[in-house]
């Protein structure tokens, strides 16, 4: 599935399988560049609306669960 409008969706099952390695690496790198890291669109980490790639409208979309607090717990534990 893809997000209507061309925005790709994260493969949260894979990210969980890797213990969010990509996210941890990404956020650690951001902290090397900046004093403060802001994460926008927080809603998508809880739930997100997924629309089949070929759909011309959002009518066939479904709400899917995101990683929730687990991602942020891992970030807090592994980024110091």
């Amino acid at each position: 599935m893809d997000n209507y409008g061309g925005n790709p969706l994260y493969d949260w099952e894979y990210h969980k399988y890797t213990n969010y390695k990509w996210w941890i690496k990404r956020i650690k790198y951001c902290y090397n560049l900046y004093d403060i890291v802001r994460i926008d669109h927080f809603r998508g980490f809880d739930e997100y609306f997924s629309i089949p790639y070929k759909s011309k409208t959002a009518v066939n979309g479904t709400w899917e669960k995101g990683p929730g607090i687990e991602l942020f717990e891992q970030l807090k534990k592994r980024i110091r």
Side-chain angles (χ1 to χ4, degrees), residues 26-61:
R26 179 179 183 173
I27 300 300
K28 277 185 179 180
Y29 183 76
C30 288
Y31 274 115
N32 287 329
L33 298 174
Y34 313 109
D35 294 329
I36 296 172
V37 177
R38 176 180 166 169
I39 299 175
D40 287 338
H41 305 288
F42 189 80
R43 172 78 166 103
F45 293 106
D46 179 43
E47 292 182 318
Y48 58 92
F49 198 67
S50 178
I51 302 165
Y53 177 71
K54 300 278 183 176
S55 293
K56 295 189 186 286
T57 69
V59 73
N60 292 319

Side-chain angles (χ1 to χ4, degrees), residues 19 24 71-80:
N19 292 314
I24 291 163
L71 169 61
F72 297 96
E73 289 171 345
Q74 287 295 318
L75 288 170
K76 184 177 178 181
K77 183 168 80 174
R78 296 175 62 196
I79 297 176
R80 298 276 169 170

